Amino acid sequence: LPVDGIMGPETRSAIRDFQRRERLLVDGIVGPETKRALIVARRSHQAVGPEPPEPPQSVEEEQFLRSWWSALTDCQIEDRTHLTPKSKRIRQRDPSTVYALVLHQMAFSRGNDPARYNNVTAHYAILPDGKILQLHPISAYLYASNGFNARSVAVEFAGNFPSTRGRCWKAETYGCYQLTQAQIEAGRCLVRHLIREIGLTHILAHRQSSGTRENDPGPDIWYQVGQWAIDHYGLKDGGPGFKIDSGKPIPEEWRTWGRGASQPEFMVEPLRAETAPQFEEEIDPETPEHVEWLQHSLNHMLGLRLPEDGVLGPATRSALRRFQSQRGLDANGVLNLRTEQSLMAAGATPHRHPARG
Ligand SMILES: [Zn+2]
């Protein structure tokens, strides 16, 4: 092969030949599996003769790898962080503590005009034409993914996407969409970009942290972007059965969705709406209203006099921890669903969740 640093058809086809020989997934992409196999193959090749000294990585090879990787990770991202509401940025966080990407579907689409997505609570949005918008900086903590918020970036795909049964939530109002090829490619590019930028190691589904968003992001986004990232880059999703709080694990069907013959019926049948909504508005666990309610409840229950100001400061956190440990909960000082249920079981008046923006 010409050593010219270009990932042309010949090089790709050589990679495919190698993958075929090694019984790997034949996709012409040097993912972790293929890379491992290449290293092993090179070692066994060397073992035939007298062992040569390990050659230093040549400048060309290094340049090739670098330019190849930077081409792969160089997605067009439209920076809109100066146009989106700062009020959504709950607090600053250290970007180096962020290691996960949470996949979401918006459950609506407003087409391809970026200006119509300013109010979406996510770090990135991917529009039907494949445009990637950066809505908030990675350093912003957002109420986007429930219990995953602290360590993750949220990525929302525009569209109302079907479940494994081919049904879309409130299709008569929000329509029923098919994930576009451009969205798939943009999602994959964003994964690579975040591996490079923040050392991404995990990819998760919003469903895993939210009991009310079962079909978030749904089988298509999960299979095409989430499962793809696991298969190609060795990212982790917590494994079978992994979920937090009231969330649900990733269904086995999602993991193999694009491989089998099963196709969603919405492609061949007219759209029908679900009779019952699959998910309601998202819960924003620590909004000021919610914290005020928490302070009010703790004051009553523990006989305290916390200021009911909606700010989750050290005194409120410590009272919350006290309540949690009294109730045998994980005393983490986080107002999660289980704690809220426990507060209500202990006599707090129910709190109505404000709708999500
Ligand atoms: Zn979501």
Side-chain angles (χ1 to χ4, degrees), residues 103-105 144 156 206 213 216 282 356:
L103 293 167
H104 297 255
Q105 64 152 312
E156 287 270 10
H206 191 191
R213 298 187 73 94
D216 192 0
E282 186 150 352
R356 184 191 178 208

Side-chain angles (χ1 to χ4, degrees), residues 111-114 117 126-133 158 180-183 186:
N112 291 317
D113 178 4
Y117 292 91
I126 298 180
L127 308 194
D129 64 1
K131 218 177 282 134
I132 305 173
L133 312 179
T180 67
Q181 193 57 39
Q183 280 179 307

Side-chain angles (χ1 to χ4, degrees), residues 172-337:
E172 73 286 1
T173 308
Y174 298 106
C176 197
Y177 291 73
Q178 207 177 332
L179 188 66
T180 67
Q181 193 57 39
Q183 280 179 307
I184 295 171
E185 274 153 31
R188 292 176 177 183
C189 195
L190 189 54
V191 167
R192 292 191 196 102
H193 173 81
L194 290 169
I195 291 173
R196 185 183 73 176
E197 291 298 308
I198 62 168
L200 191 73
T201 57
H202 285 65
I203 192 150
L204 302 164
H206 191 191
R207 167 192 169 96
Q208 290 173 295
S209 67
S210 170
T212 56
R213 298 187 73 94
E214 266 177 58
N215 194 39
D216 192 0
D220 295 301
I221 295 170
W222 180 260
Y223 181 76
Q224 297 294 351
V225 181
Q227 194 59 44
W228 170 88
I230 292 162
D231 295 342
H232 287 76
Y233 292 99
L235 294 197
K236 297 184 174 63
D237 63 15
F242 174 70
K243 54 117 188 160
I244 62 165
D245 300 327
S246 61
K248 296 188 180 70
I250 292 165
E252 203 44 46
E253 244 183 316
W254 286 18
R255 299 180 187 275
T256 54
W257 185 240
R259 273 179 224 163
S262 69
Q263 284 299 317
E265 59 185 273
F266 78 97
M267 288 186 188
V268 288
E269 273 186 27
L271 304 180
R272 263 176 314 189
E274 286 283 296
T275 42
Q278 282 172 277
F279 43 77
E280 301 145 32
E281 287 299 330
E282 186 150 352
I283 295 165
D284 282 351
E286 291 176 5
T287 57
E289 296 84 0
H290 205 172
V291 173
E292 217 177 288
W293 168 83
L294 168 73
Q295 289 167 327
H296 185 76
S297 307
L298 288 171
N299 281 344
H300 271 253
M301 244 157 273
L302 303 175
L304 301 172
R305 278 203 270 167
L306 298 166
E308 295 176 14
D309 57 3
V311 178
L312 227 174
T316 306
R317 282 237 190 258
S318 123
L320 180 55
R321 281 203 195 90
R322 216 173 98 196
F323 174 81
Q324 287 171 322
S325 71
Q326 279 178 8
R327 294 271 148 181
L329 298 166
D330 185 14
N332 54 11
V334 174
L335 180 48
N336 51 28
L337 209 61

Side-chain angles (χ1 to χ4, degrees), residues 37-228:
L38 277 164
I39 292 167
V40 171
R42 200 171 102 176
R43 258 188 224 136
S44 61
H45 199 73
Q46 285 169 351
V48 176
E51 199 156 321
E54 184 71 22
Q57 186 164 284
S58 70
V59 178
E60 290 82 9
E61 192 182 353
E62 204 185 303
Q63 273 173 353
F64 161 70
L65 284 172
R66 198 175 295 150
S67 67
W68 177 58
W69 181 240
S70 82
L72 274 177
T73 55
D74 190 17
C75 347
Q76 295 291 321
I77 299 175
E78 188 176 328
D79 182 3
R80 298 186 59 82
T81 54
H82 55 297
L83 297 163
T84 53
K86 307 270 182 298
S87 58
K88 288 192 183 273
R89 301 174 195 170
I90 306 305
R91 56 179 163 82
Q92 284 269 335
R93 60 181 182 182
D94 176 357
S96 72
T97 62
V98 176
Y99 59 80
L101 184 165
V102 182
L103 293 167
H104 297 255
Q105 64 152 312
M106 286 185 202
F108 64 82
S109 172
R110 293 181 189 145
N112 291 317
D113 178 4
R116 304 195 64 199
Y117 292 91
N118 287 351
N119 277 315
V120 171
T121 310
H123 297 88
Y124 298 93
I126 298 180
L127 308 194
D129 64 1
K131 218 177 282 134
I132 305 173
L133 312 179
Q134 177 144 25
L135 299 174
H136 295 280
I138 292 172
S139 63
Y141 177 105
L142 306 175
Y143 287 144
S145 312
N146 301 78
F148 290 144
N149 285 336
R151 301 278 179 263
S152 68
V153 289
V155 178
E156 287 270 10
F157 287 75
N160 191 24
F161 300 107
S163 66
T164 51
R165 290 175 301 147
R167 306 290 167 77
C168 285
W169 177 67
K170 289 191 181 171
E172 73 286 1
T173 308
Y174 298 106
C176 197
Y177 291 73
Q178 207 177 332
L179 188 66
T180 67
Q181 193 57 39
Q183 280 179 307
I184 295 171
E185 274 153 31
R188 292 176 177 183
C189 195
L190 189 54
V191 167
R192 292 191 196 102
H193 173 81
L194 290 169
I195 291 173
R196 185 183 73 176
E197 291 298 308
I198 62 168
L200 191 73
T201 57
H202 285 65
I203 192 150
L204 302 164
H206 191 191
R207 167 192 169 96
Q208 290 173 295
S209 67
S210 170
T212 56
R213 298 187 73 94
E214 266 177 58
N215 194 39
D216 192 0
D220 295 301
I221 295 170
W222 180 260
Y223 181 76
Q224 297 294 351
V225 181
Q227 194 59 44
W228 170 88

